[in-house]
Amino acid sequence: MDGLKLFALFILIVAFIFVFKSIKVVPQQHAWVVERLGKFHAALAPGLNIVIPFIDRVAYKHSLKEIPLDVPSQVCITRDNTQLQVDGILYFQVTDPMRASYGSSNYIVAITQLAQTTLRSVIGKLELDKTFEERDFINHSVVTAIDESAANWGVKVLRYEIKDLTPPKEILHAMQAQITAEREKRALIAASEGRKQEQINIATGEREAQIARSEGEKQAIINRAQGDAASVQTIAAATAEAIERIAHAIQSPGGMDAVNLKVAEKYVEAFSGLAKTGNTLIVPANLSDISGLIASAMTTVKATQKT
């Protein structure tokens, strides 16, 4: 009885081990490569899988996620013989577990070496200044060149990014001096443009001021001419009105006597003024000339009145 129990226990343990060995649970985004008697049999998908213990074995385990791979820094020589220290990062993904297992002994090392050689080749075709401007072109060229070869390794290269481009210190100093000179040049150009614009603004302001002054002087002349014309018209109107009033006064009773008296006063004032201007006293040769002058003036007034 004891022997049977031990045998049964042994059978149970063997069965447990057999079942344990035959069940394989593959995580999500992973692929396991199974070999049967040393030969590729299948790639296990995520989930529960059944294999034959002691005949099938899991030879390789691959992650199907996107994997970042740091490409070691290296020295590259540009077209104009300038050394550059370049390092980057490569992103790839396993797409064929079987080829990833048997296409290369180490696809990660193969991708890294190919990325470095391709990068040196691409940068060798560019001048120093272009390497800083053509990063996208460099990245695309590296991805294209690696992806063609990596297809045989069951790997898909997604993208490559340059992390840093470091030229020698001498080149850095020269580039910094060039940038400084360029900025100083821009500053001088900006200052000269500012002075130019200032001179233009001053000239424009002076021209507008002169135009405004000339317009003001023109308007002042026009205003003075209009004022003089209005003054002349006013004086003429006043003179005409005075003459009209004098004529009206002459026609009124006693008007002629007043005119005779006024003419006589003016005659006497005129002779008085002539006497004061010199040392000689002027006396009319004939005192009857006063009455004759008055009579002559009255004749003129009457003639004017008739007309």
Side-chain angles (χ1 to χ4, degrees), residues 169-219:
K169 293 182 179 180
E170 296 79 7
I171 301 297
L172 283 176
H173 292 323
M175 294 174 64
Q176 187 63 38
Q178 182 180 1
I179 293 173
T180 302
E182 185 66 24
R183 289 179 179 175
E184 291 177 352
K185 175 183 175 182
R186 293 178 184 175
L188 292 175
I189 292 174
S192 64
E193 290 292 335
R195 288 192 296 269
K196 174 183 176 182
Q197 189 62 41
E198 179 184 5
Q199 296 298 325
I200 292 174
N201 293 339
I202 292 173
T204 302
E206 291 178 353
R207 183 185 65 182
E208 293 178 354
Q210 291 178 358
I211 293 173
R213 284 195 296 269
S214 64
E215 290 291 336
E217 293 174 356
K218 174 183 176 182
Q219 190 63 40

mmCIF file of all heavy atoms in Angstrom, residues 169-219:
data_model
loop_
_atom_site.group_PDB
_atom_site.id
_atom_site.type_symbol
_atom_site.label_atom_id
_atom_site.label_comp_id
_atom_site.label_asym_id
_atom_site.label_seq_id
_atom_site.Cartn_x
_atom_site.Cartn_y
_atom_site.Cartn_z
ATOM 1 N N LYS A 169 36.484 73.799 -29.604
ATOM 2 C CA LYS A 169 36.405 75.089 -28.918
ATOM 3 C C LYS A 169 36.804 76.242 -29.835
ATOM 4 O O LYS A 169 36.228 77.333 -29.766
ATOM 5 C CB LYS A 169 37.311 75.064 -27.681
ATOM 6 C CG LYS A 169 36.836 74.103 -26.598
ATOM 7 C CD LYS A 169 37.744 74.164 -25.375
ATOM 8 C CE LYS A 169 37.256 73.220 -24.285
ATOM 9 N NZ LYS A 169 38.135 73.262 -23.086
ATOM 10 N N GLU A 170 37.811 76.017 -30.683
ATOM 11 C CA GLU A 170 38.244 77.076 -31.587
ATOM 12 C C GLU A 170 37.118 77.474 -32.537
ATOM 13 O O GLU A 170 36.891 78.664 -32.808
ATOM 14 C CB GLU A 170 39.468 76.631 -32.398
ATOM 15 C CG GLU A 170 40.726 76.365 -31.567
ATOM 16 C CD GLU A 170 40.676 75.015 -30.873
ATOM 17 O OE1 GLU A 170 39.736 74.251 -31.156
ATOM 18 O OE2 GLU A 170 41.567 74.728 -30.057
ATOM 19 N N ILE A 171 36.412 76.458 -33.035
ATOM 20 C CA ILE A 171 35.297 76.739 -33.943
ATOM 21 C C ILE A 171 34.173 77.449 -33.197
ATOM 22 O O ILE A 171 33.532 78.368 -33.732
ATOM 23 C CB ILE A 171 34.788 75.436 -34.583
ATOM 24 C CG1 ILE A 171 35.924 74.751 -35.362
ATOM 25 C CG2 ILE A 171 33.613 75.706 -35.490
ATOM 26 C CD1 ILE A 171 36.451 75.560 -36.512
ATOM 27 N N LEU A 172 33.956 77.029 -31.952
ATOM 28 C CA LEU A 172 32.922 77.690 -31.152
ATOM 29 C C LEU A 172 33.239 79.164 -30.949
ATOM 30 O O LEU A 172 32.366 80.034 -31.061
ATOM 31 C CB LEU A 172 32.779 76.988 -29.800
ATOM 32 C CG LEU A 172 32.011 75.664 -29.786
ATOM 33 C CD1 LEU A 172 32.043 75.057 -28.390
ATOM 34 C CD2 LEU A 172 30.568 75.879 -30.233
ATOM 35 N N HIS A 173 34.512 79.464 -30.635
ATOM 36 C CA HIS A 173 34.915 80.861 -30.452
ATOM 37 C C HIS A 173 34.744 81.644 -31.755
ATOM 38 O O HIS A 173 34.285 82.801 -31.745
ATOM 39 C CB HIS A 173 36.360 80.929 -29.985
ATOM 40 C CG HIS A 173 36.561 80.383 -28.596
ATOM 41 N ND1 HIS A 173 35.635 80.550 -27.579
ATOM 42 C CD2 HIS A 173 37.589 79.672 -28.045
ATOM 43 C CE1 HIS A 173 36.082 79.972 -26.468
ATOM 44 N NE2 HIS A 173 37.257 79.420 -26.727
ATOM 45 N N ALA A 174 35.142 81.023 -32.878
ATOM 46 C CA ALA A 174 35.005 81.702 -34.168
ATOM 47 C C ALA A 174 33.529 81.954 -34.493
ATOM 48 O O ALA A 174 33.155 83.034 -34.982
ATOM 49 C CB ALA A 174 35.654 80.869 -35.274
ATOM 50 N N MET A 175 32.683 80.950 -34.215
ATOM 51 C CA MET A 175 31.252 81.122 -34.469
ATOM 52 C C MET A 175 30.666 82.210 -33.580
ATOM 53 O O MET A 175 29.821 83.008 -34.010
ATOM 54 C CB MET A 175 30.531 79.791 -34.255
ATOM 55 C CG MET A 175 30.897 78.712 -35.255
ATOM 56 S SD MET A 175 30.157 77.099 -34.858
ATOM 57 C CE MET A 175 28.420 77.487 -35.029
ATOM 58 N N GLN A 176 31.111 82.230 -32.309
ATOM 59 C CA GLN A 176 30.626 83.266 -31.403
ATOM 60 C C GLN A 176 31.059 84.650 -31.873
ATOM 61 O O GLN A 176 30.275 85.616 -31.822
ATOM 62 C CB GLN A 176 31.167 83.000 -29.992
ATOM 63 C CG GLN A 176 30.596 83.932 -28.936
ATOM 64 C CD GLN A 176 29.098 83.768 -28.765
ATOM 65 O OE1 GLN A 176 28.586 82.655 -28.820
ATOM 66 N NE2 GLN A 176 28.396 84.868 -28.576
ATOM 67 N N ALA A 177 32.316 84.754 -32.353
ATOM 68 C CA ALA A 177 32.780 86.041 -32.881
ATOM 69 C C ALA A 177 31.983 86.450 -34.114
ATOM 70 O O ALA A 177 31.643 87.626 -34.293
ATOM 71 C CB ALA A 177 34.271 85.954 -33.221
ATOM 72 N N GLN A 178 31.667 85.472 -34.959
ATOM 73 C CA GLN A 178 30.873 85.762 -36.148
ATOM 74 C C GLN A 178 29.481 86.247 -35.768
ATOM 75 O O GLN A 178 28.951 87.204 -36.347
ATOM 76 C CB GLN A 178 30.788 84.513 -37.020
ATOM 77 C CG GLN A 178 30.009 84.726 -38.311
ATOM 78 C CD GLN A 178 29.941 83.449 -39.143
ATOM 79 O OE1 GLN A 178 30.461 82.410 -38.741
ATOM 80 N NE2 GLN A 178 29.301 83.525 -40.287
ATOM 81 N N ILE A 179 28.880 85.569 -34.784
ATOM 82 C CA ILE A 179 27.546 85.978 -34.334
ATOM 83 C C ILE A 179 27.587 87.383 -33.737
ATOM 84 O O ILE A 179 26.713 88.221 -33.995
ATOM 85 C CB ILE A 179 27.005 84.961 -33.320
ATOM 86 C CG1 ILE A 179 26.751 83.606 -34.000
ATOM 87 C CG2 ILE A 179 25.722 85.464 -32.672
ATOM 88 C CD1 ILE A 179 26.386 82.501 -33.040
ATOM 89 N N THR A 180 28.645 87.656 -32.935
ATOM 90 C CA THR A 180 28.782 88.985 -32.340
ATOM 91 C C THR A 180 28.934 90.051 -33.418
ATOM 92 O O THR A 180 28.313 91.121 -33.348
ATOM 93 C CB THR A 180 29.994 89.001 -31.390
ATOM 94 O OG1 THR A 180 29.821 87.995 -30.384
ATOM 95 C CG2 THR A 180 30.129 90.353 -30.719
ATOM 96 N N ALA A 181 29.778 89.758 -34.425
ATOM 97 C CA ALA A 181 29.961 90.721 -35.515
ATOM 98 C C ALA A 181 28.660 90.942 -36.279
ATOM 99 O O ALA A 181 28.333 92.073 -36.662
ATOM 100 C CB ALA A 181 31.057 90.223 -36.463
ATOM 101 N N GLU A 182 27.921 89.869 -36.497
ATOM 102 C CA GLU A 182 26.648 89.993 -37.209
ATOM 103 C C GLU A 182 25.660 90.840 -36.419
ATOM 104 O O GLU A 182 24.944 91.685 -36.980
ATOM 105 C CB GLU A 182 26.071 88.601 -37.469
ATOM 106 C CG GLU A 182 24.811 88.586 -38.305
ATOM 107 C CD GLU A 182 25.042 89.043 -39.732
ATOM 108 O OE1 GLU A 182 26.190 88.933 -40.210
ATOM 109 O OE2 GLU A 182 24.076 89.510 -40.357
ATOM 110 N N ARG A 183 25.631 90.636 -35.101
ATOM 111 C CA ARG A 183 24.727 91.437 -34.274
ATOM 112 C C ARG A 183 25.152 92.897 -34.251
ATOM 113 O O ARG A 183 24.305 93.799 -34.290
ATOM 114 C CB ARG A 183 24.706 90.858 -32.862
ATOM 115 C CG ARG A 183 23.987 89.515 -32.765
ATOM 116 C CD ARG A 183 24.022 88.967 -31.355
ATOM 117 N NE ARG A 183 23.299 87.690 -31.279
ATOM 118 C CZ ARG A 183 23.248 86.929 -30.184
ATOM 119 N NH1 ARG A 183 23.882 87.318 -29.087
ATOM 120 N NH2 ARG A 183 22.572 85.794 -30.197
ATOM 121 N N GLU A 184 26.479 93.155 -34.174
ATOM 122 C CA GLU A 184 26.949 94.535 -34.218
ATOM 123 C C GLU A 184 26.610 95.182 -35.561
ATOM 124 O O GLU A 184 26.242 96.361 -35.613
ATOM 125 C CB GLU A 184 28.459 94.569 -33.979
ATOM 126 C CG GLU A 184 28.863 94.185 -32.555
ATOM 127 C CD GLU A 184 30.369 94.153 -32.377
ATOM 128 O OE1 GLU A 184 31.080 94.289 -33.398
ATOM 129 O OE2 GLU A 184 30.823 93.997 -31.217
ATOM 130 N N LYS A 185 26.735 94.390 -36.620
ATOM 131 C CA LYS A 185 26.379 94.904 -37.937
ATOM 132 C C LYS A 185 24.897 95.282 -37.977
ATOM 133 O O LYS A 185 24.532 96.355 -38.482
ATOM 134 C CB LYS A 185 26.695 93.843 -39.002
ATOM 135 C CG LYS A 185 26.251 94.218 -40.400
ATOM 136 C CD LYS A 185 26.538 93.082 -41.375
ATOM 137 C CE LYS A 185 25.992 93.391 -42.754
ATOM 138 N NZ LYS A 185 26.220 92.256 -43.703
ATOM 139 N N ARG A 186 24.057 94.406 -37.451
ATOM 140 C CA ARG A 186 22.623 94.711 -37.421
ATOM 141 C C ARG A 186 22.334 95.944 -36.579
ATOM 142 O O ARG A 186 21.477 96.765 -36.924
ATOM 143 C CB ARG A 186 21.853 93.509 -36.865
ATOM 144 C CG ARG A 186 21.887 92.272 -37.759
ATOM 145 C CD ARG A 186 21.152 91.122 -37.100
ATOM 146 N NE ARG A 186 21.251 89.896 -37.882
ATOM 147 C CZ ARG A 186 20.782 88.724 -37.485
ATOM 148 N NH1 ARG A 186 20.170 88.617 -36.307
ATOM 149 N NH2 ARG A 186 20.901 87.659 -38.254
ATOM 150 N N ALA A 187 23.080 96.081 -35.463
ATOM 151 C CA ALA A 187 22.876 97.252 -34.606
ATOM 152 C C ALA A 187 23.268 98.528 -35.340
ATOM 153 O O ALA A 187 22.567 99.549 -35.258
ATOM 154 C CB ALA A 187 23.677 97.107 -33.316
ATOM 155 N N LEU A 188 24.414 98.497 -36.072
ATOM 156 C CA LEU A 188 24.836 99.671 -36.827
ATOM 157 C C LEU A 188 23.841 100.013 -37.927
ATOM 158 O O LEU A 188 23.523 101.188 -38.166
ATOM 159 C CB LEU A 188 26.220 99.422 -37.434
ATOM 160 C CG LEU A 188 27.382 99.329 -36.424
ATOM 161 C CD1 LEU A 188 28.670 98.958 -37.147
ATOM 162 C CD2 LEU A 188 27.556 100.652 -35.687
ATOM 163 N N ILE A 189 23.364 98.980 -38.605
ATOM 164 C CA ILE A 189 22.373 99.213 -39.665
ATOM 165 C C ILE A 189 21.103 99.820 -39.073
ATOM 166 O O ILE A 189 20.520 100.766 -39.621
ATOM 167 C CB ILE A 189 22.069 97.900 -40.405
ATOM 168 C CG1 ILE A 189 23.295 97.436 -41.195
ATOM 169 C CG2 ILE A 189 20.878 98.062 -41.337
ATOM 170 C CD1 ILE A 189 23.137 96.081 -41.850
ATOM 171 N N ALA A 190 20.681 99.269 -37.934
ATOM 172 C CA ALA A 190 19.476 99.802 -37.291
ATOM 173 C C ALA A 190 19.678 101.251 -36.856
ATOM 174 O O ALA A 190 18.785 102.092 -37.005
ATOM 175 C CB ALA A 190 19.105 98.933 -36.090
ATOM 176 N N ALA A 191 20.898 101.555 -36.312
ATOM 177 C CA ALA A 191 21.174 102.926 -35.895
ATOM 178 C C ALA A 191 21.184 103.873 -37.089
ATOM 179 O O ALA A 191 20.641 104.985 -37.025
ATOM 180 C CB ALA A 191 22.508 102.974 -35.158
ATOM 181 N N SER A 192 21.832 103.447 -38.194
ATOM 182 C CA SER A 192 21.860 104.296 -39.391
ATOM 183 C C SER A 192 20.464 104.495 -39.963
ATOM 184 O O SER A 192 20.110 105.600 -40.412
ATOM 185 C CB SER A 192 22.773 103.673 -40.447
ATOM 186 O OG SER A 192 22.259 102.415 -40.882
ATOM 187 N N GLU A 193 19.660 103.440 -39.953
ATOM 188 C CA GLU A 193 18.275 103.570 -40.409
ATOM 189 C C GLU A 193 17.507 104.541 -39.525
ATOM 190 O O GLU A 193 16.688 105.336 -40.005
ATOM 191 C CB GLU A 193 17.597 102.201 -40.426
ATOM 192 C CG GLU A 193 18.084 101.251 -41.503
ATOM 193 C CD GLU A 193 17.711 101.718 -42.888
ATOM 194 O OE1 GLU A 193 16.727 102.460 -43.021
ATOM 195 O OE2 GLU A 193 18.413 101.347 -43.855
ATOM 196 N N GLY A 194 17.807 104.485 -38.212
ATOM 197 C CA GLY A 194 17.149 105.420 -37.302
ATOM 198 C C GLY A 194 17.552 106.862 -37.583
ATOM 199 O O GLY A 194 16.702 107.760 -37.598
ATOM 200 N N ARG A 195 18.869 107.078 -37.810
ATOM 201 C CA ARG A 195 19.319 108.432 -38.137
ATOM 202 C C ARG A 195 18.737 108.911 -39.471
ATOM 203 O O ARG A 195 18.345 110.081 -39.610
ATOM 204 C CB ARG A 195 20.846 108.464 -38.189
ATOM 205 C CG ARG A 195 21.509 108.345 -36.817
ATOM 206 C CD ARG A 195 22.981 108.683 -36.898
ATOM 207 N NE ARG A 195 23.704 107.734 -37.728
ATOM 208 C CZ ARG A 195 24.279 106.636 -37.266
ATOM 209 N NH1 ARG A 195 24.189 106.315 -35.996
ATOM 210 N NH2 ARG A 195 24.947 105.832 -38.095
ATOM 211 N N LYS A 196 18.701 108.000 -40.422
ATOM 212 C CA LYS A 196 18.114 108.346 -41.716
ATOM 213 C C LYS A 196 16.656 108.764 -41.563
ATOM 214 O O LYS A 196 16.219 109.788 -42.108
ATOM 215 C CB LYS A 196 18.238 107.149 -42.661
ATOM 216 C CG LYS A 196 17.540 107.344 -43.998
ATOM 217 C CD LYS A 196 17.647 106.085 -44.841
ATOM 218 C CE LYS A 196 16.866 106.224 -46.140
ATOM 219 N NZ LYS A 196 16.919 104.978 -46.945
ATOM 220 N N GLN A 197 15.905 107.973 -40.809
ATOM 221 C CA GLN A 197 14.500 108.284 -40.593
ATOM 222 C C GLN A 197 14.350 109.598 -39.822
ATOM 223 O O GLN A 197 13.417 110.385 -40.074
ATOM 224 C CB GLN A 197 13.821 107.138 -39.830
ATOM 225 C CG GLN A 197 12.311 107.249 -39.745
ATOM 226 C CD GLN A 197 11.658 107.210 -41.113
ATOM 227 O OE1 GLN A 197 12.061 106.441 -41.977
ATOM 228 N NE2 GLN A 197 10.672 108.051 -41.321
ATOM 229 N N GLU A 198 15.298 109.828 -38.886
ATOM 230 C CA GLU A 198 15.248 111.088 -38.122
ATOM 231 C C GLU A 198 15.450 112.275 -39.046
ATOM 232 O O GLU A 198 14.721 113.282 -38.948
ATOM 233 C CB GLU A 198 16.330 111.059 -37.044
ATOM 234 C CG GLU A 198 16.387 112.329 -36.211
ATOM 235 C CD GLU A 198 17.529 112.299 -35.221
ATOM 236 O OE1 GLU A 198 18.322 111.347 -35.252
ATOM 237 O OE2 GLU A 198 17.633 113.249 -34.417
ATOM 238 N N GLN A 199 16.466 112.186 -39.960
ATOM 239 C CA GLN A 199 16.709 113.276 -40.897
ATOM 240 C C GLN A 199 15.514 113.492 -41.824
ATOM 241 O O GLN A 199 15.142 114.632 -42.133
ATOM 242 C CB GLN A 199 17.973 112.981 -41.720
ATOM 243 C CG GLN A 199 19.255 112.931 -40.896
ATOM 244 C CD GLN A 199 19.562 114.254 -40.226
ATOM 245 O OE1 GLN A 199 19.299 115.311 -40.784
ATOM 246 N NE2 GLN A 199 20.124 114.200 -39.027
ATOM 247 N N ILE A 200 14.923 112.379 -42.243
ATOM 248 C CA ILE A 200 13.738 112.486 -43.103
ATOM 249 C C ILE A 200 12.603 113.180 -42.359
ATOM 250 O O ILE A 200 11.918 114.069 -42.901
ATOM 251 C CB ILE A 200 13.304 111.084 -43.590
ATOM 252 C CG1 ILE A 200 14.344 110.508 -44.553
ATOM 253 C CG2 ILE A 200 11.940 111.142 -44.275
ATOM 254 C CD1 ILE A 200 14.073 109.077 -44.969
ATOM 255 N N ASN A 201 12.412 112.798 -41.100
ATOM 256 C CA ASN A 201 11.342 113.416 -40.311
ATOM 257 C C ASN A 201 11.611 114.899 -40.090
ATOM 258 O O ASN A 201 10.691 115.730 -40.161
ATOM 259 C CB ASN A 201 11.210 112.696 -38.973
ATOM 260 C CG ASN A 201 10.719 111.272 -39.111
ATOM 261 O OD1 ASN A 201 10.112 110.926 -40.121
ATOM 262 N ND2 ASN A 201 10.957 110.436 -38.128
ATOM 263 N N ILE A 202 12.896 115.265 -39.816
ATOM 264 C CA ILE A 202 13.239 116.675 -39.604
ATOM 265 C C ILE A 202 12.993 117.471 -40.885
ATOM 266 O O ILE A 202 12.407 118.564 -40.859
ATOM 267 C CB ILE A 202 14.693 116.806 -39.134
ATOM 268 C CG1 ILE A 202 14.858 116.217 -37.717
ATOM 269 C CG2 ILE A 202 15.127 118.260 -39.144
ATOM 270 C CD1 ILE A 202 16.291 116.163 -37.238
ATOM 271 N N ALA A 203 13.479 116.915 -42.025
ATOM 272 C CA ALA A 203 13.280 117.610 -43.301
ATOM 273 C C ALA A 203 11.801 117.765 -43.618
ATOM 274 O O ALA A 203 11.346 118.823 -44.073
ATOM 275 C CB ALA A 203 13.994 116.849 -44.427
ATOM 276 N N THR A 204 11.043 116.699 -43.378
ATOM 277 C CA THR A 204 9.600 116.758 -43.627
ATOM 278 C C THR A 204 8.938 117.800 -42.732
ATOM 279 O O THR A 204 8.075 118.568 -43.174
ATOM 280 C CB THR A 204 8.979 115.382 -43.384
ATOM 281 O OG1 THR A 204 9.607 114.418 -44.240
ATOM 282 C CG2 THR A 204 7.491 115.401 -43.694
ATOM 283 N N GLY A 205 9.380 117.835 -41.455
ATOM 284 C CA GLY A 205 8.808 118.820 -40.534
ATOM 285 C C GLY A 205 9.137 120.238 -40.950
ATOM 286 O O GLY A 205 8.270 121.133 -40.902
ATOM 287 N N GLU A 206 10.411 120.471 -41.358
ATOM 288 C CA GLU A 206 10.791 121.812 -41.805
ATOM 289 C C GLU A 206 10.013 122.215 -43.058
ATOM 290 O O GLU A 206 9.572 123.366 -43.180
ATOM 291 C CB GLU A 206 12.289 121.855 -42.078
ATOM 292 C CG GLU A 206 13.141 121.736 -40.809
ATOM 293 C CD GLU A 206 14.618 121.734 -41.123
ATOM 294 O OE1 GLU A 206 14.953 121.682 -42.334
ATOM 295 O OE2 GLU A 206 15.436 121.804 -40.173
ATOM 296 N N ARG A 207 9.866 121.287 -43.979
ATOM 297 C CA ARG A 207 9.120 121.601 -45.194
ATOM 298 C C ARG A 207 7.668 121.948 -44.872
ATOM 299 O O ARG A 207 7.116 122.940 -45.374
ATOM 300 C CB ARG A 207 9.167 120.404 -46.157
ATOM 301 C CG ARG A 207 8.471 120.667 -47.492
ATOM 302 C CD ARG A 207 8.445 119.419 -48.336
ATOM 303 N NE ARG A 207 7.635 118.400 -47.700
ATOM 304 C CZ ARG A 207 7.464 117.176 -48.200
ATOM 305 N NH1 ARG A 207 8.078 116.828 -49.321
ATOM 306 N NH2 ARG A 207 6.724 116.295 -47.568
ATOM 307 N N GLU A 208 7.055 121.141 -44.009
ATOM 308 C CA GLU A 208 5.675 121.423 -43.631
ATOM 309 C C GLU A 208 5.570 122.749 -42.876
ATOM 310 O O GLU A 208 4.599 123.496 -43.047
ATOM 311 C CB GLU A 208 5.138 120.279 -42.778
ATOM 312 C CG GLU A 208 4.988 118.971 -43.552
ATOM 313 C CD GLU A 208 4.497 117.831 -42.674
ATOM 314 O OE1 GLU A 208 4.384 118.056 -41.447
ATOM 315 O OE2 GLU A 208 4.230 116.744 -43.227
ATOM 316 N N ALA A 209 6.621 123.061 -42.035
ATOM 317 C CA ALA A 209 6.597 124.334 -41.316
ATOM 318 C C ALA A 209 6.718 125.508 -42.282
ATOM 319 O O ALA A 209 6.020 126.530 -42.141
ATOM 320 C CB ALA A 209 7.721 124.367 -40.289
ATOM 321 N N GLN A 210 7.622 125.374 -43.285
ATOM 322 C CA GLN A 210 7.761 126.435 -44.274
ATOM 323 C C GLN A 210 6.479 126.629 -45.072
ATOM 324 O O GLN A 210 6.072 127.759 -45.355
ATOM 325 C CB GLN A 210 8.923 126.114 -45.208
ATOM 326 C CG GLN A 210 10.295 126.207 -44.540
ATOM 327 C CD GLN A 210 11.410 125.827 -45.477
ATOM 328 O OE1 GLN A 210 11.172 125.454 -46.621
ATOM 329 N NE2 GLN A 210 12.646 125.910 -44.991
ATOM 330 N N ILE A 211 5.861 125.495 -45.436
ATOM 331 C CA ILE A 211 4.593 125.589 -46.159
ATOM 332 C C ILE A 211 3.545 126.289 -45.298
ATOM 333 O O ILE A 211 2.794 127.158 -45.766
ATOM 334 C CB ILE A 211 4.113 124.191 -46.588
ATOM 335 C CG1 ILE A 211 5.065 123.601 -47.643
ATOM 336 C CG2 ILE A 211 2.702 124.235 -47.130
ATOM 337 C CD1 ILE A 211 4.764 122.169 -48.008
ATOM 338 N N ALA A 212 3.524 125.917 -44.022
ATOM 339 C CA ALA A 212 2.548 126.539 -43.127
ATOM 340 C C ALA A 212 2.825 128.035 -42.967
ATOM 341 O O ALA A 212 1.896 128.859 -42.962
ATOM 342 C CB ALA A 212 2.583 125.840 -41.764
ATOM 343 N N ARG A 213 4.150 128.398 -42.829
ATOM 344 C CA ARG A 213 4.485 129.812 -42.706
ATOM 345 C C ARG A 213 4.119 130.588 -43.973
ATOM 346 O O ARG A 213 3.576 131.699 -43.906
ATOM 347 C CB ARG A 213 5.979 129.956 -42.410
ATOM 348 C CG ARG A 213 6.361 129.634 -40.971
ATOM 349 C CD ARG A 213 7.763 130.143 -40.648
ATOM 350 N NE ARG A 213 8.776 129.467 -41.440
ATOM 351 C CZ ARG A 213 9.396 128.364 -41.058
ATOM 352 N NH1 ARG A 213 9.109 127.793 -39.899
ATOM 353 N NH2 ARG A 213 10.319 127.817 -41.831
ATOM 354 N N SER A 214 4.433 129.996 -45.138
ATOM 355 C CA SER A 214 4.090 130.676 -46.386
ATOM 356 C C SER A 214 2.583 130.821 -46.547
ATOM 357 O O SER A 214 2.094 131.872 -47.004
ATOM 358 C CB SER A 214 4.670 129.912 -47.579
ATOM 359 O OG SER A 214 4.084 128.618 -47.676
ATOM 360 N N GLU A 215 1.855 129.793 -46.159
ATOM 361 C CA GLU A 215 0.399 129.884 -46.209
ATOM 362 C C GLU A 215 -0.098 130.979 -45.268
ATOM 363 O O GLU A 215 -1.029 131.733 -45.595
ATOM 364 C CB GLU A 215 -0.230 128.534 -45.842
ATOM 365 C CG GLU A 215 -0.035 127.444 -46.879
ATOM 366 C CD GLU A 215 -0.818 127.719 -48.155
ATOM 367 O OE1 GLU A 215 -1.815 128.464 -48.078
ATOM 368 O OE2 GLU A 215 -0.419 127.206 -49.217
ATOM 369 N N GLY A 216 0.554 131.058 -44.076
ATOM 370 C CA GLY A 216 0.159 132.112 -43.132
ATOM 371 C C GLY A 216 0.469 133.497 -43.669
ATOM 372 O O GLY A 216 -0.353 134.425 -43.546
ATOM 373 N N GLU A 217 1.695 133.655 -44.247
ATOM 374 C CA GLU A 217 2.047 134.956 -44.819
ATOM 375 C C GLU A 217 1.111 135.314 -45.970
ATOM 376 O O GLU A 217 0.702 136.481 -46.112
ATOM 377 C CB GLU A 217 3.495 134.920 -45.302
ATOM 378 C CG GLU A 217 4.515 134.798 -44.167
ATOM 379 C CD GLU A 217 5.925 134.625 -44.679
ATOM 380 O OE1 GLU A 217 6.076 134.528 -45.915
ATOM 381 O OE2 GLU A 217 6.865 134.583 -43.851
ATOM 382 N N LYS A 218 0.811 134.325 -46.806
ATOM 383 C CA LYS A 218 -0.113 134.561 -47.914
ATOM 384 C C LYS A 218 -1.475 135.031 -47.403
ATOM 385 O O LYS A 218 -2.060 136.007 -47.899
ATOM 386 C CB LYS A 218 -0.264 133.285 -48.738
ATOM 387 C CG LYS A 218 -1.312 133.359 -49.833
ATOM 388 C CD LYS A 218 -1.439 132.019 -50.536
ATOM 389 C CE LYS A 218 -2.563 132.057 -51.561
ATOM 390 N NZ LYS A 218 -2.728 130.731 -52.218
ATOM 391 N N GLN A 219 -1.954 134.344 -46.379
ATOM 392 C CA GLN A 219 -3.249 134.707 -45.819
ATOM 393 C C GLN A 219 -3.199 136.091 -45.164
ATOM 394 O O GLN A 219 -4.159 136.866 -45.248
ATOM 395 C CB GLN A 219 -3.695 133.661 -44.789
ATOM 396 C CG GLN A 219 -5.129 133.813 -44.320
ATOM 397 C CD GLN A 219 -6.134 133.640 -45.451
ATOM 398 O OE1 GLN A 219 -5.955 132.777 -46.304
ATOM 399 N NE2 GLN A 219 -7.156 134.481 -45.484
#
